[in-house]
């Protein structure tokens, strides 16, 4: 059976830490974007047209907000996957340790 | 925590150790690690001391053990570390140990020489085997009929009368990298009259002495005549080629090859057995080598310590002088008793306290939490004996000042998590014994980092900064709506919104400002364009307030030093003028900062005068300018009064103190003293005032009190005064680094967010999530590398400076020397002494 192990214990631990941080932070960002937080207005990719062509303001901006929020949630999901992979790597590393000694 | 306020009370004591019990007593003292031995024979050189022989034997054992350890490491065997603490062996067991080590060393050496010889033999045989095989090929080629024919044709006409051509040859092995030069040399020296054939040996051979793998080649050289043979042999020697005899006939060669192969097989078997034996010996040694090391090093340490003692005239006992903490005298006595019992001696060892005028060493008892902070203080200077120790205050102020510069909720949480990991996994991480220098440094400061992280979370909440974004929990106190309402004074219209890029809210309009945010800074400032103007003013004032409070606290601590050392002059002419000076100038500044914050509201804030101008005018006594508004009535009188008081404090410190000191000295001198056989008694006007000033007999090396020198004292006092007065100003300015660094940190984290994170966030397409996860990865790496580690280090350094320079120079002299008890701890941890 080919080994699924492709990174060392330190790399895997690093991956776990980053993915925990990523999941928490990106999920919270997603929540705040869907709550239309004013502080995050600078991170919403709106243009002059979005404001000018808005029939019932601020629906255009709100739509952008929720779209960024969805991006955040999906990215958080990606980090869940990264975390799961890293966890597997940690397990595999441990098992290999036992096998050697 | 009480013991952290000042260093431990120390006492000098004499130990009378019975010669037969001395060894055991010292070993018990080493186990508890609470006494510092003084060298009683500093003039005797190392080789003339009493136990030099024993020390030498220990060193010899240590050397043997190091040899064994090296061999074990070379064989890739792990040394077993059970963490046990073996007892010190008795001196009579030393011979046994020596014999054991001697035997082990000899055995190992013998194995090594045998193995080396065998390996050399093996190498020679292998080389010979290769030569035989390869040369066979060369000869086979030579017997190739076509080649023979050609040569016979060429030779035929002239060779009729001569004897048949007899070509000699030598065969050998040479390092592969030497081949090209070897070939060239042969060609040149023999003028092209030799014929060299070479072939590479595929598998590398092992060099028996260095056990490196080397690549070699087999060569065979054909030549004619003895002269050439000699030359060729010399060249081979010069190139360190090994020549082997090679029979000429194929039959002989074949037989030899068979013989060699058989011998190689035999040798291989013997080699394997030797290696097995060696492994067994080393494995057995690896199990106990750590314990042996500890035993030997403990013995060596004990004999070193015994060498520091004086020997009694009767040769019956050893006399040692030790520094020890007063509160641990009981446990020291107990250890001595245990030592005496263990040695089987009937005469107890005696501990006798001595009076001395020498300054005892400084000893601060610490635990794993306080030791980090004590180290921060000690790095500046070991405190003088019984001086106020800044460490307990540092525990709070250090992380706090750090956090003022590092104020960010997100970064604080990350830092706390990292430190929590180190703290919670403490025992496991200690057991792992990580040798990485960086890691062990961070690990030693784990509690400092934990507190720094927690305080950063607090200041992050106050600054309302989390990865440069604010968190709006309670709802902002500012509102835009009333600005459009002309009834309450709002003057904005929707046309105005279209025309201008930036509009400023007017807090004087009703309903625009509904009051301060419940905790920290209002989140609305995060997206305001004049955020920096507001935050700079706030943080600057905050730094001055914190700095002045910190320095006033430092000056107050000096009061406790003067009280403890009973120096009333220093209180009246040192501490009081100092604190008055600072309170009048900078304490007043702090008060007017608060006054300005409290007494002006949104409507009146336009009329508020500038504090900076007011403070400058205070020193210039300038109150005529009508454009400068007053903070309160009576301001000129109060301010002038304060400045005059502050200035009046300067001569107090500068001149008066020196004069008073001089008067006291004169008074003491006029009293006169008499010396009664080493005891100096002052004869005062009445019998009651006669005091014993000096007692020579007990203090062996009593130093006279330094002579009073008026000029020296005056200069010293002048320097101190000038330093303090100028220091008040420059140190207050120095605390502005709190503002500067917190500004830098906030700006850097904002830049990081807008340059990295925003790239991922501001995507209109649905595919943005992919970019977002990549940018988040870089964001996290950069946050840790730049904001946590780099910025954290810079904030740490600045906090360190604020403590060492601005805080501690107000009260801390730091001229003591550290208490270095005799202990086995460092030996246990595997560090060798010295």
């Amino acid at each position: 059976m080919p080994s699924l192990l492709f990174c060392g214990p330190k790399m895997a631990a690093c991956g776990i830490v980053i993915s925990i941080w990523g999941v928490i932070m990106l999920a919270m960002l997603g929540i705040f974007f869907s709550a239309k937080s004013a502080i995050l207005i600078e991170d919403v990719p709106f243009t002059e047209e979005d404001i000018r062509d808005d029939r019932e303001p601020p629906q255009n901006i709100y739509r952008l907000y929720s779209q960024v929020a969805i991006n955040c949630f999906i990215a958080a999901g990606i980090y869940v996957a990264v975390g799961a992979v890293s966890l597997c790597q940690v397990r595999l590393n441990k098992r290999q340790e036992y096998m050697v000694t | 925590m009480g013991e952290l306020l000042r260093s431990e009370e120390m006492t000098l004591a004499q130990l009378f150790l019975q010669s037969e019990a001395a060894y055991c007593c010292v070993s018990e003292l080493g186990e508890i690690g609470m006494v510092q031995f003084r060298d009683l024979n500093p003039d005797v050189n190392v080789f003339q001391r009493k136990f030099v022989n024993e020390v030498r034997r220990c060193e010899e054992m240590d050397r043997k053990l190091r040899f064994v350890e090296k061999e074990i490491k070379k064989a890739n065997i792990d040394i077993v570390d059970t963490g046990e603490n073996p007892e010190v062996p008795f001196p009579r067991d030393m011979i046994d140990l020596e014999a054991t080590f001697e035997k082990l060393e000899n055995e190992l050496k013998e194995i090594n020489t045998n193995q080396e010889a065998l390996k050399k033999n093996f190498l020679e045989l292998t080389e010979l085997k290769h030569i035989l095989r390869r040369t066979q090929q060369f000869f086979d080629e030579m017997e190739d009929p076509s080649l023979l024919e050609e040569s016979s044709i060429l030779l035929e006409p002239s060779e009729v009368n001569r004897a048949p051509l007899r070509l000699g040859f030598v065969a050998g092995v040479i390092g592969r990298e030497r081949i090209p030069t070897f070939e060239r040399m042969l060609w040149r020296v023999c003028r092209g009259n030799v014929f060299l054939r070479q072939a590479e040996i595929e598998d590398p051979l092992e060099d028996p002495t260095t056990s490196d793998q080397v690549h070699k080649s087999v060569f065979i050289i054909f030549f004619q005549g003895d002269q050439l043979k000699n030359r060729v042999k010399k060249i081979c020697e010069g190139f360190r080629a090994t020549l082997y005899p090679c029979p000429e006939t194929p039959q002989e060669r074949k037989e030899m090859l068979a013989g060699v192969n058989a011998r190689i097989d035999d040798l291989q078997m013997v080699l394997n057995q030797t290696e097995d034996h060696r492994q067994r010996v080393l494995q057995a040694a690896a199990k106990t080598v750590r314990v042996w090391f500890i035993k030997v090093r403990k013995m060596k340490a004990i004999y070193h310590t015994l060498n520091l003692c004086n020997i009694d005239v009767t040769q019956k006992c050893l006399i040692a002088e030790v520094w020890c903490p007063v509160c641990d005298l009981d446990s020291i006595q107990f250890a001595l008793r245990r030592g005496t019992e263990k040695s089987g001696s009937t005469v107890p060892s005696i501990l006798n306290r001595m009076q001395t005028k020498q300054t005892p060493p400084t000893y601060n008892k610490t635990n794993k939490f306080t030791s980090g902070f004590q180290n921060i203080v000690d790095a500046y200077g070991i405190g003088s004996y019984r001086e106020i120790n800044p460490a307990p205050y540092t525990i709070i102020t250090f992380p706090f000042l750090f956090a003022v510069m590092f104020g960010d909720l997100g970064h604080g949480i990350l830092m706390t998590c990292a430190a929590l990991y180190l703290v919670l996994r403490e025992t496991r991480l200690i057991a792992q014994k990580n040798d990485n220098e960086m890691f062990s440094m961070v690990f030693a400061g784990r509690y400092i980092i934990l507190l720094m992280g927690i305080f950063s979370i607090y200041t992050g909440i106050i600054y309302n900064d989390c990865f440069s974004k604010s968190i709006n929990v309670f709802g902002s106190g500012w509102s835009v709506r009333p600005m459009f309402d002309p009834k309450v004074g709002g003057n904005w219209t929707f046309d105005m919104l279209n025309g201008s890029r930036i509009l400023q809210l007017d807090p004087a309009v009703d309903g625009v400002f509904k009051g301060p945010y419940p905790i920290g800074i209002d989140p609305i400032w995060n997206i305001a364009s004049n955020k920096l103007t507001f935050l700079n003013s706030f943080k600057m004032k905050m730094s001055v307030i914190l700095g002045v409070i910190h320095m006033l606290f430092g000056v107050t601590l000096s009061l406790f030093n003067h009280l403890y050392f009973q120096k009333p002059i220093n209180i009246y002419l040192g501490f009081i003028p100092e604190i008055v000076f600072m309170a009048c100038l900078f304490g007043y500044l702090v008060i007017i900062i608060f006054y300005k914050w409290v007494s002006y509201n949104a409507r009146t804030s336009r009329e508020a005068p500038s504090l900076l101008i007011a403070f400058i005018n205070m020193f210039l006594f300038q109150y005529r300018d009508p454009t400068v508004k007053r903070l309160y009535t009576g301001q000129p009188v109060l301010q002038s009064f304060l400045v005059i008081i502050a200035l009046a404090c300067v001569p107090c410190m500068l001149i008066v103190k020196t004069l008073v000191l001089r008067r006291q000295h004169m008074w003491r001198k006029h009293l006169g003293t008499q010396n009664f056989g080493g005891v100096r008694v002052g004869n005062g006007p009445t019998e009651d005032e006669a005091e014993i000033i000096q007692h020579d007999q007990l203090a062996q090396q009593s130093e006279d009190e330094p002579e009073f020198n008026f000029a020296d004292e005056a200069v010293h006092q002048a320097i101190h005064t000038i330093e303090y007065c100028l220091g008040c100003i420059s140190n207050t300015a120095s605390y502005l680094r709190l503002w500067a660094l917190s500004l830098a940190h906030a700006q850097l984290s904002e830049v990081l967010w807008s340059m990295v994170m925003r790239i991922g966030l501001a995507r209109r397409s649905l595919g943005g999530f992919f970019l977002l996860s990549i940018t988040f990865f870089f964001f996290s790496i950069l946050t840790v590398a730049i904001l946590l580690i780099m910025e954290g280090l810079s904030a740490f350094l600045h906090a360190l400076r604020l403590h060492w320079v601005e805080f501690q120079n107000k009260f801390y002299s730091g001229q003591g020397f550290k208490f270095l008890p005799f202990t086995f701890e460092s030996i246990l941890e595997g560090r060798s002494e010295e």
Side-chain angles (χ1 to χ4, degrees):
Chain A
M1 191 189 105
S3 174
L4 293 172
L5 192 68
F6 57 86
C7 59
K10 278 179 194 161
M11 180 86 178
C14 203
I16 287 188
V17 170
I18 284 194
S19 51
I20 291 173
W21 177 8
V23 169
I24 294 174
M25 186 157 156
L26 289 168
M28 286 184 85
L29 269 177
I31 294 170
F32 293 140
F33 270 111
S34 41
K36 323 285 190 282
S37 168
I39 304 272
L40 296 169
I41 185 80
E42 287 169 333
D43 298 318
V44 174
F46 67 87
T47 52
E48 285 284 314
E49 288 86 54
D50 288 321
I51 302 174
R52 217 183 304 136
D53 306 343
D54 210 345
R55 254 171 258 149
E56 37 184 328
Q59 285 313 315
N60 268 353
I61 303 281
Y62 276 8
R63 220 184 48 245
L64 282 171
Y65 257 115
S66 29
Q67 199 210 309
V68 176
I70 289 167
N71 275 349
C72 283
F73 285 129
I74 299 174
I78 290 178
Y79 273 97
V80 170
V82 170
V85 170
S86 302
L87 199 66
C88 283
Q89 295 294 315
V90 169
R91 287 268 167 82
L92 285 174
N93 269 316
K94 271 211 181 120
R95 190 186 297 168
Q96 201 173 34
E97 220 168 83
Y98 292 138
M99 267 150 55
V100 168
T101 48
Chain B
M1 294 293 278
E3 67 263 32
L4 210 59
L5 290 174
R6 288 181 193 281
S7 62
E8 289 293 313
E9 204 174 322
M10 307 295 281
T11 179
L12 189 66
Q14 256 180 335
L15 289 179
F16 296 92
L17 305 167
Q18 306 306 316
S19 6
E20 64 268 23
Y23 181 88
C24 291
C25 288
V26 172
S27 88
E28 285 297 326
L29 290 178
E31 296 292 349
I32 58 171
M34 271 168 194
V35 294
Q36 176 178 3
F37 284 84
R38 290 179 54 192
D39 194 354
L40 292 184
N41 14 338
D43 333 317
V44 183
N45 85 25
V46 188
F47 301 105
Q48 292 166 339
R49 301 200 174 197
K50 188 165 189 248
F51 296 98
V52 63
N53 219 358
E54 281 81 357
V55 171
R56 216 177 264 159
R57 279 163 71 192
C58 289
E59 234 148 52
E60 182 61 19
M61 286 196 275
D62 200 27
R63 184 194 63 72
K64 279 173 189 156
L65 282 177
R66 278 201 306 269
F67 167 72
V68 174
E69 191 190 37
K70 207 177 77 195
E71 291 293 317
I72 291 172
K73 279 190 180 148
K74 224 197 281 175
N76 271 332
I77 300 171
D78 287 333
I79 291 173
V80 183
D81 184 357
T82 49
E84 70 167 319
N85 181 8
E87 291 243 319
V88 184
F90 286 107
R92 57 175 177 269
D93 296 336
M94 198 158 152
I95 300 169
D96 289 349
L97 281 177
E98 269 177 329
T100 320
F101 299 153
E102 182 81 41
K103 205 176 129 213
L104 186 64
E105 196 205 13
N106 284 345
E107 196 174 356
L108 271 177
K109 272 192 179 154
E110 208 170 307
I111 295 173
N112 280 356
T113 38
N114 284 346
Q115 204 176 21
E116 205 171 296
L118 285 172
K119 273 189 179 164
K120 206 170 159 217
N121 217 332
F122 183 71
L123 178 78
E124 277 169 8
L125 285 176
T126 337
E127 283 180 356
L128 185 55
K129 183 182 84 181
H130 283 290
I131 283 177
L132 290 173
R133 270 202 201 137
R134 296 289 162 181
T135 44
Q136 189 59 43
Q137 282 175 14
F138 301 149
F139 286 121
D140 287 348
E141 280 169 29
M142 260 186 36
E143 280 158 18
D144 196 348
S146 61
L147 282 171
L148 261 181
E149 205 167 304
E150 200 176 336
S151 59
S152 61
I153 292 166
L154 272 171
L155 290 172
E156 199 124 35
S158 54
E159 297 277 313
V160 188
N161 301 335
R162 286 223 202 143
L165 180 71
R166 247 190 75 82
L167 284 177
F169 68 90
V170 290
V173 173
I174 190 171
R176 201 176 283 178
E177 68 281 355
R178 292 216 175 102
I179 286 275
T181 41
F182 181 59
E183 213 170 346
R184 204 175 308 141
M185 186 66 126
L186 269 178
W187 176 264
R188 292 208 178 133
V189 173
C190 307
R191 296 161 206 268
N193 285 329
V194 296
F195 176 61
L196 171 80
R197 285 297 306 265
Q198 49 106 354
E200 291 174 355
I201 301 173
E202 288 89 359
D203 19 301
L205 302 167
E206 193 189 326
D207 189 343
T209 44
T210 58
S211 68
D212 290 334
Q213 301 285 320
V214 280
H215 289 269
K216 289 192 167 179
S217 291
V218 168
F219 65 88
I220 180 163
I221 305 168
F222 297 96
F223 48 82
Q224 193 189 9
D226 279 346
Q227 219 175 346
L228 269 179
K229 183 177 182 181
N230 283 339
R231 278 195 200 167
V232 165
K233 278 201 167 161
K234 266 186 192 143
I235 293 171
C236 291
E237 232 168 71
F239 277 84
R240 301 232 184 103
T242 26
L243 298 180
Y244 290 96
C246 187
E248 298 201 5
T249 60
Q251 188 59 38
E252 274 174 327
R253 278 201 294 270
K254 202 170 270 173
E255 273 169 24
M256 196 166 173
L257 187 63
V260 164
N261 274 338
R263 273 170 69 195
I264 285 182
D265 287 345
D266 288 353
L267 209 54
Q268 187 69 56
M269 213 156 76
V270 178
L271 258 179
N272 285 347
Q273 273 171 3
T274 323
E275 185 61 38
D276 277 354
H277 179 56
R278 191 180 130 90
Q279 284 280 341
R280 269 201 303 278
V281 170
L282 286 180
Q283 249 152 10
K287 274 182 200 144
T288 44
V289 75
R290 182 182 161 272
V291 172
W292 282 340
F293 255 128
I294 292 173
K295 276 185 181 172
V296 168
R297 286 185 177 157
K298 274 185 177 177
M299 282 169 89
K300 195 174 148 196
I302 290 171
Y303 283 118
H304 258 305
T305 313
L306 286 177
N307 269 338
L308 301 179
C309 303
N310 243 340
I311 296 147
D312 186 55
V313 253
T314 55
Q315 296 277 337
K316 285 279 169 51
C317 71
L318 289 166
I319 304 168
E321 271 187 25
V322 295
W323 286 114
C324 50
V326 173
C327 61
D328 288 327
L329 276 176
D330 284 344
S331 57
I332 293 167
Q333 295 270 25
F334 192 61
L336 284 178
R337 201 176 311 152
R338 247 181 312 167
T340 319
E341 269 167 27
K342 217 187 211 175
S343 68
S345 165
T346 45
V347 193
S349 302
I350 298 159
L351 184 137
N352 176 29
R353 280 181 72 171
M354 292 161 72
Q355 300 294 326
T356 178
K357 278 198 169 175
Q358 289 184 342
T359 357
T362 310
Y363 175 44
N364 290 304
K365 273 192 180 166
T366 52
N367 53 28
K368 62 184 178 182
F369 175 71
T370 50
S371 67
F373 295 96
Q374 187 66 51
N375 281 342
I376 288 181
V377 172
D378 284 353
Y380 173 77
I382 311 287
S384 306
Y385 177 62
R386 295 294 280 164
E387 179 179 41
I388 283 267
N389 180 14
Y393 319 106
T394 308
I395 292 175
I396 295 302
T397 53
F398 186 84
F400 180 71
L401 288 189
F402 171 86
V404 168
M405 297 181 263
F406 198 76
D408 191 301
L409 177 60
H411 301 155
I413 288 174
L414 289 177
M415 190 176 259
T416 313
C417 289
L420 266 182
Y421 170 77
L422 291 181
V423 168
L424 295 178
R425 301 283 291 260
E426 196 170 59
T427 38
R428 207 181 295 185
L429 288 171
I430 289 175
Q432 273 177 6
K433 281 202 178 145
N434 202 324
D435 282 339
N436 189 335
E437 198 184 351
M438 280 298 282
F439 177 79
S440 45
M441 207 169 67
V442 172
F443 186 69
R446 59 194 181 279
Y447 286 100
I448 305 178
I449 299 177
L450 179 65
L451 280 185
M452 291 190 320
I454 293 171
F455 277 83
S456 300
I457 294 177
Y458 168 72
T459 46
I461 290 171
I462 295 295
Y463 294 161
N464 214 336
D465 243 356
C466 178
F467 297 112
S468 82
K469 295 286 161 195
S470 294
I471 296 170
N472 185 3
V473 181
F474 303 103
S476 171
W478 293 78
S479 171
V480 185
R481 197 150 304 193
M483 286 307 284
F484 294 96
D485 189 357
K487 273 182 272 178
V488 289
N491 53 355
W492 287 8
T493 57
F494 284 99
D495 292 335
M496 251 171 98
L497 285 188
N498 282 331
S500 43
R501 282 189 52 80
I502 291 172
L503 289 168
Q504 195 165 2
L505 294 172
D506 184 4
V509 174
D510 272 334
V512 169
F513 181 60
K514 292 191 286 261
Y517 195 65
I519 179 163
I521 292 189
D522 201 304
I524 200 74
W525 284 107
N526 196 278
I527 46 173
S529 61
N530 57 351
K531 166 190 172 193
L532 277 186
T533 331
F534 166 71
L535 278 183
N536 283 349
S537 146
F538 161 73
K539 284 182 179 171
M540 257 192 263
K541 284 170 183 157
M542 177 197 67
S543 334
V544 170
I545 293 169
L546 291 177
V548 171
I549 290 174
H550 199 206
M551 286 191 293
L552 282 175
F553 179 58
V555 178
T556 316
L557 284 180
S558 77
L559 170 67
F560 293 101
N561 265 342
H562 301 324
L563 282 177
Y564 183 82
F565 293 116
Q566 292 175 342
K567 288 182 181 157
I569 304 176
N570 282 358
I571 298 176
Y572 297 124
L573 297 171
F575 165 71
I576 290 179
E578 277 176 11
I579 201 151
V580 167
F581 180 82
M582 188 177 254
C584 284
L585 301 182
F586 296 100
Y588 173 71
L589 176 64
V590 170
I591 289 171
I592 54 173
I593 288 174
F594 276 110
Y595 177 78
K596 188 179 165 184
W597 275 341
V598 173
S599 63
Y600 292 93
N601 59 24
R603 281 175 219 289
T604 54
S605 63
R606 278 182 198 287
E607 282 105 60
S610 157
L611 284 179
L612 193 61
I613 304 288
F615 199 58
I616 292 170
N617 283 344
M618 173 175 163
F619 288 98
L620 300 177
F621 297 102
Q622 226 176 48
Y623 301 104
R624 303 236 174 78
D625 193 353
T627 55
V628 179
K629 296 220 171 53
R630 304 256 162 96
L631 277 160
Y632 54 90
T633 51
Q635 189 187 3
V637 181
L638 182 62
Q639 286 188 350
S640 310
F641 176 68
L642 288 174
V643 173
I644 288 166
I645 285 190
L647 290 182
C649 288
V650 178
C652 266
M653 293 184 270
L654 192 64
I655 303 165
V656 179
K657 191 178 163 194
T658 329
L659 293 177
V660 171
L661 278 174
R662 181 162 176 269
R663 233 197 92 219
Q664 273 188 349
H665 172 71
M666 296 304 247
W667 182 72
R668 195 169 282 198
K669 214 165 108 183
H670 284 307
L671 277 179
T673 55
Q674 280 180 358
N675 213 336
F676 296 116
V679 182
R680 207 165 175 210
V681 178
N683 41 358
T686 62
E687 204 63 15
D688 299 338
E689 274 183 46
E691 50 171 347
I692 295 173
I693 293 173
Q694 189 193 348
H695 199 299
D696 254 343
Q697 270 176 331
L698 293 173
Q700 283 183 325
Q701 299 142 310
S702 67
E703 293 140 25
D704 280 325
E705 277 189 31
E707 273 296 305
F708 181 81
N709 186 332
F710 182 71
D712 272 5
E713 196 62 31
V715 168
H716 176 258
Q717 199 54 40
I719 291 174
H720 178 77
T721 310
I722 293 169
E723 192 198 345
Y724 179 81
C725 296
L726 293 183
C728 276
I729 300 162
S730 68
N731 291 351
T732 311
S734 187
Y735 275 96
L736 286 178
R737 75 185 66 229
L738 293 176
W739 153 65
L741 266 110
S742 85
L743 172 73
H745 186 83
Q747 289 300 300
L748 210 57
S749 66
E750 200 175 317
V751 165
L752 191 68
W753 184 280
S754 60
M755 303 266 279
V756 179
M757 206 54 185
R758 191 166 296 161
I759 297 173
L761 284 171
R763 291 289 130 189
R764 295 175 76 96
S765 59
L766 257 174
F769 62 83
F770 186 66
L771 197 63
L772 179 59
S773 43
I774 291 172
T775 49
F776 175 78
F777 175 75
F778 285 106
F779 173 78
S780 61
I781 299 281
L782 288 174
T783 300
V784 171
I786 296 178
L787 289 174
L788 285 185
I789 295 178
M790 217 182 75
E791 272 282 296
L793 274 178
S794 100
F796 185 94
L797 266 169
H798 283 278
L800 207 59
R801 187 222 138 94
L802 286 179
H803 277 85
W804 283 351
V805 180
E806 274 77 23
F807 177 55
Q808 288 183 10
N809 77 359
K810 302 283 184 288
F811 65 97
Y812 187 65
S813 62
Q815 282 169 338
F817 56 98
K818 204 171 179 152
F819 176 61
L820 296 168
F822 168 65
T823 170
F824 292 144
E825 213 169 283
S826 63
I827 295 173
L828 269 184
E829 282 162 23
R831 279 181 273 127
S832 55
E833 69 272 52
E834 275 116 38

